[in-house]
Amino acid sequence: VCFGGPKRNRLFICGTTSLYAAYTTVTGAAKGQPPMQVQDLDRRFAFARDLVREAGSLALDMRRNPSALGVEAKGTRDFVTAADRAVEALIIKRLDDTFGDHVLGEEFGGKFSDTLWIVDPIDGTYNYVHDNPRWCVSLGFMCQGTIEMGLLYAPARDEMYLARRGQGATLNGRR
């Protein structure tokens, strides 16, 4: 799991098999506003941890029925499936219902704001389609242009990678 980059306005989430990079310019961040309260970040982190597990379970369940995957090619070795879209839709709905934050997703896009979730619903779709267990659900959160957290859940391997700004990273609860 890696966050940040050479500049503050970049987010890199490294999955088990691929690199998802979203370059963002958060234009809605109000200058002079206080940063998000720690309790609000804690609440988002706990919610997101449960959400990526739920999303991973959905993707894993959908993988068990290969004929229903609805695989489409976006490019050479770049696929999108019905599971990508279902997982991203689930994440967007849950985050919107709970926090009202904006979401930038790989499949549906989105818009920028001062609180922004970035999602790759199935990071490693090529592996997912080919029944290779090296794929995950990737979710990151930015507040006023600062990367606050990142979560990766690889359900086929039952690996949960979690990281918070200033607090380090864990794999299944171990540093």
Side-chain angles (χ1 to χ4, degrees):
V1 180
C2 53
F3 301 95
K7 296 185 180 176
R8 185 176 144 163
N9 66 338
R10 290 191 174 136
L11 168 69
F12 295 97
I13 301 175
C14 301
T16 57
T17 60
S18 66
L19 174 67
Y20 174 76
Y23 297 91
T24 63
T25 303
V26 180
T27 57
K31 293 185 172 144
Q33 281 190 339
M36 186 172 283
Q37 298 295 314
V38 173
Q39 333 49 315
D40 294 328
L41 290 171
D42 290 345
R43 188 168 157 245
R44 280 174 172 77
F45 188 69
F47 183 85
R49 183 186 58 232
D50 294 340
L51 179 57
V52 295
R53 188 172 299 278
E54 177 185 3
S57 294
L58 172 61
L60 199 56
D61 287 346
M62 292 182 78
R63 179 69 196 94
R64 291 184 180 117
N65 185 4
S67 63
L69 286 181
V71 180
E72 298 173 26
K74 293 194 301 189
T76 306
R77 294 180 57 112
D78 189 11
F79 300 98
V80 63
T81 67
D84 286 284
R85 291 184 179 117
V87 167
E88 188 168 317
L90 170 76
I91 291 170
I92 290 168
K93 178 165 181 21
R94 296 274 198 275
L95 290 172
D96 186 52
D97 289 351
T98 305
F99 302 110
D101 298 332
H102 290 204
V103 178
L104 176 63
E106 181 174 1
E107 308 311 331
F108 299 124
K111 59 183 180 177
F112 300 105
S113 74
D114 58 344
T115 55
L116 180 66
W117 293 92
I118 298 144
V119 59
D120 186 341
I122 297 179
D123 191 354
T125 302
Y126 182 86
N127 287 338
Y128 178 81
V129 166
H130 291 91
D131 205 22
N132 180 321
R134 298 182 63 80
W135 58 273
C136 65
V137 176
S138 301
L139 184 62
F141 179 71
M142 292 177 59
C143 182
Q144 297 179 359
T146 300
I147 298 162
E148 295 291 347
M149 64 189 74
L151 307 96
L152 303 174
Y153 180 55
R157 301 161 62 107
D158 196 27
E159 294 177 344
M160 177 76 76
Y161 297 85
L162 304 172
R164 288 268 307 261
R165 183 172 59 87
Q167 297 180 23
T170 63
L171 166 58
N172 293 339
R174 292 177 296 165
R175 291 199 184 275

